[in-house]
Amino acid sequence: MRRAVCPGSYDPPTNGHLDILERTSGLFDEVVVAVLINKSKQGLFTVDERMEMLREISAPLGNVRVDSWHGLLVHYCQQHGIQAIVKGLRAIGDFDYELQMAQMNQQLTGVETLFMPTKPPNSFLSSSLIKEVATFGGDVSHLLPEPVHKRLIQRLGRGD
Protein backbone atom coordinates (compact mmCIF):
# COMPACT_ATOMS: atom_id res chain seq x y z
CA MET A 1 0.00 0.00 0.00
CA ARG A 2 1.35 3.43 -0.96
CA ARG A 3 0.91 5.84 1.93
CA ALA A 4 1.66 9.52 2.35
CA VAL A 5 1.27 12.06 5.10
CA CYS A 6 0.30 15.71 4.65
CA PRO A 7 1.45 17.46 7.83
CA GLY A 8 0.52 20.91 9.05
CA SER A 9 -1.10 22.99 11.73
CA TYR A 10 -4.29 23.54 9.67
CA ASP A 11 -5.45 26.45 11.86
CA PRO A 12 -7.81 26.65 9.99
CA PRO A 13 -7.79 24.38 6.91
CA THR A 14 -7.95 26.45 3.71
CA ASN A 15 -8.92 25.79 0.11
CA GLY A 16 -5.19 25.51 -0.56
CA HIS A 17 -4.89 22.69 1.98
CA LEU A 18 -7.92 20.93 0.52
CA ASP A 19 -6.50 21.20 -3.01
CA ILE A 20 -3.25 19.52 -1.93
CA LEU A 21 -5.21 16.78 -0.10
CA GLU A 22 -7.42 16.13 -3.13
CA ARG A 23 -4.48 15.88 -5.49
CA THR A 24 -2.44 13.74 -3.10
CA SER A 25 -5.37 11.35 -2.56
CA GLY A 26 -5.32 10.59 -6.28
CA LEU A 27 -1.67 9.53 -6.11
CA PHE A 28 -1.62 7.35 -2.98
CA ASP A 29 -3.70 4.49 -1.60
CA GLU A 30 -3.93 6.19 1.78
CA VAL A 31 -3.28 9.78 2.83
CA VAL A 32 -2.93 10.75 6.46
CA VAL A 33 -3.53 14.36 7.38
CA ALA A 34 -1.32 14.87 10.43
CA VAL A 35 -2.23 17.85 12.56
CA LEU A 36 1.06 18.63 14.23
CA ILE A 37 0.83 19.64 17.85
CA ASN A 38 3.01 22.60 18.76
CA LYS A 39 2.67 23.18 22.49
CA SER A 40 4.45 26.53 22.22
CA LYS A 41 1.77 27.94 19.90
CA GLN A 42 -1.76 28.88 20.88
CA GLY A 43 -4.05 28.19 17.93
CA LEU A 44 -7.39 29.78 17.18
CA PHE A 45 -8.88 26.28 17.03
CA THR A 46 -7.98 23.35 19.24
CA VAL A 47 -6.29 20.34 17.69
CA ASP A 48 -9.54 18.37 18.08
CA GLU A 49 -11.52 21.10 16.32
CA ARG A 50 -9.04 21.20 13.44
CA MET A 51 -9.18 17.42 13.13
CA GLU A 52 -12.98 17.53 13.07
CA MET A 53 -12.97 20.17 10.30
CA LEU A 54 -10.43 18.17 8.30
CA ARG A 55 -12.50 14.99 8.62
CA GLU A 56 -15.56 16.84 7.40
CA ILE A 57 -13.94 18.44 4.36
CA SER A 58 -11.93 15.36 3.35
CA ALA A 59 -14.74 12.81 3.83
CA PRO A 60 -15.65 12.71 0.12
CA LEU A 61 -12.10 11.60 -0.75
CA GLY A 62 -12.49 8.16 0.84
CA ASN A 63 -8.80 7.34 1.29
CA VAL A 64 -7.92 10.18 3.67
CA ARG A 65 -7.75 9.83 7.42
CA VAL A 66 -6.94 12.48 10.02
CA ASP A 67 -4.61 12.08 12.97
CA SER A 68 -2.47 14.24 15.25
CA TRP A 69 1.15 13.99 16.30
CA HIS A 70 3.61 15.60 18.67
CA GLY A 71 7.28 15.02 17.92
CA LEU A 72 9.32 14.31 14.83
CA LEU A 73 7.16 13.63 11.80
CA VAL A 74 9.60 11.01 10.52
CA HIS A 75 9.03 8.99 13.71
CA TYR A 76 5.29 9.11 12.99
CA CYS A 77 6.01 7.90 9.45
CA GLN A 78 8.13 5.01 10.75
CA GLN A 79 5.50 3.96 13.30
CA HIS A 80 2.71 3.99 10.70
CA GLY A 81 4.49 2.58 7.65
CA ILE A 82 4.30 5.83 5.69
CA GLN A 83 6.81 6.18 2.87
CA ALA A 84 6.29 9.79 1.79
CA ILE A 85 5.63 13.25 3.15
CA VAL A 86 3.74 15.55 0.78
CA LYS A 87 4.15 19.29 1.21
CA GLY A 88 2.36 22.02 -0.70
CA LEU A 89 4.57 24.87 -1.85
CA ARG A 90 3.23 28.36 -2.44
CA ALA A 91 6.39 30.30 -3.27
CA ILE A 92 10.16 30.11 -3.35
CA GLY A 93 10.35 30.99 0.36
CA ASP A 94 8.44 27.80 1.17
CA PHE A 95 10.89 25.80 -0.92
CA ASP A 96 13.98 27.15 0.87
CA TYR A 97 12.61 26.08 4.25
CA GLU A 98 11.02 22.81 3.15
CA LEU A 99 14.08 21.63 1.22
CA GLN A 100 16.23 21.70 4.35
CA MET A 101 13.58 19.83 6.30
CA ALA A 102 13.16 17.26 3.52
CA GLN A 103 16.88 16.61 3.39
CA MET A 104 17.07 16.21 7.17
CA ASN A 105 14.07 13.85 7.20
CA GLN A 106 15.56 11.74 4.43
CA GLN A 107 18.88 11.60 6.23
CA LEU A 108 17.24 10.60 9.54
CA THR A 109 14.99 7.80 8.35
CA GLY A 110 14.92 7.55 4.56
CA VAL A 111 11.38 8.96 4.34
CA GLU A 112 11.04 10.92 1.11
CA THR A 113 9.38 14.31 0.75
CA LEU A 114 7.41 15.23 -2.36
CA PHE A 115 6.71 18.88 -3.14
CA MET A 116 3.43 19.78 -4.80
CA PRO A 117 3.02 23.32 -6.10
CA THR A 118 -0.22 25.00 -5.21
CA LYS A 119 -2.59 26.01 -7.94
CA PRO A 120 -2.20 29.72 -8.76
CA PRO A 121 -5.49 30.82 -7.13
CA ASN A 122 -4.21 29.39 -3.82
CA SER A 123 -0.61 30.57 -4.06
CA PHE A 124 -1.04 33.42 -1.57
CA LEU A 125 -3.18 31.59 0.99
CA SER A 126 -2.02 31.01 4.52
CA SER A 127 -4.07 30.23 7.58
CA SER A 128 -2.44 33.14 9.41
CA LEU A 129 -3.32 35.64 6.71
CA ILE A 130 -6.90 34.37 6.49
CA LYS A 131 -7.34 34.69 10.28
CA GLU A 132 -5.95 38.22 10.23
CA VAL A 133 -8.18 39.36 7.37
CA ALA A 134 -11.27 37.73 8.91
CA THR A 135 -10.52 39.26 12.33
CA PHE A 136 -10.73 42.73 10.78
CA GLY A 137 -13.96 42.03 8.89
CA GLY A 138 -12.61 40.99 5.48
CA ASP A 139 -14.54 38.46 3.43
CA VAL A 140 -12.59 35.19 3.32
CA SER A 141 -15.53 32.95 2.42
CA HIS A 142 -14.08 32.17 -1.03
CA LEU A 143 -10.76 31.06 0.52
CA LEU A 144 -12.10 28.39 2.88
CA PRO A 145 -14.30 25.31 2.58
CA GLU A 146 -17.82 26.34 3.67
CA PRO A 147 -17.88 24.38 6.97
CA VAL A 148 -14.53 25.89 7.94
CA HIS A 149 -15.70 29.40 7.08
CA LYS A 150 -18.80 28.97 9.26
CA ARG A 151 -16.67 27.89 12.22
CA LEU A 152 -14.21 30.72 11.71
CA ILE A 153 -16.96 33.34 11.69
CA GLN A 154 -18.51 31.80 14.82
CA ARG A 155 -15.14 31.67 16.58
CA LEU A 156 -14.47 35.32 15.78
CA GLY A 157 -17.91 36.29 17.09
CA ARG A 158 -19.17 37.60 13.76
CA GLY A 159 -22.62 36.67 12.53
CA ASP A 160 -21.91 37.06 8.79
Side-chain angles (χ1 to χ4, degrees), residues 4-6 19-29 31 63 86 116:
V5 63
C6 292
D19 171 54
I20 296 298
L21 295 177
E22 288 170 343
R23 291 162 57 201
T24 302
S25 75
L27 300 173
F28 290 89
D29 299 313
V31 177
N63 64 337
V86 176
M116 185 173 292

Side-chain angles (χ1 to χ4, degrees), residues 10 12-15 17-19 21-22 50-61 64 66 144-149:
Y10 300 102
T14 69
N15 285 344
H17 292 131
L18 183 56
D19 171 54
L21 295 177
E22 288 170 343
R50 288 180 251 164
M51 290 175 65
E52 189 177 310
M53 286 186 278
L54 286 159
R55 282 186 190 104
E56 183 175 359
I57 66 173
S58 67
L61 301 176
V64 174
V66 179
L144 299 167
E146 182 185 352
V148 174
H149 181 253

Side-chain angles (χ1 to χ4, degrees), residues 97-110:
Y97 173 77
E98 295 294 348
L99 178 62
Q100 289 179 344
M101 187 156 321
Q103 290 170 331
M104 176 63 81
N105 288 341
Q106 204 283 329
Q107 192 72 31
L108 288 172
T109 64

Side-chain angles (χ1 to χ4, degrees), residues 4-14 16-18 20-21 31-38 41 43 45-48 50-51 54 65-73 76-77 85-88 90 97-98 101 105 127 131:
V5 63
C6 292
S9 60
Y10 300 102
D11 188 33
T14 69
H17 292 131
L18 183 56
I20 296 298
L21 295 177
V31 177
V32 178
V33 182
V35 179
L36 300 180
I37 301 168
N38 184 343
K41 276 189 176 180
F45 293 98
T46 67
V47 170
D48 288 339
R50 288 180 251 164
M51 290 175 65
L54 286 159
R65 69 179 176 87
V66 179
D67 201 358
S68 63
W69 179 254
H70 175 71
L72 291 178
L73 181 63
Y76 180 90
C77 292
I85 299 167
V86 176
K87 302 289 298 215
R90 296 170 294 198
Y97 173 77
E98 295 294 348
M101 187 156 321
N105 288 341
S127 295
K131 287 185 288 192

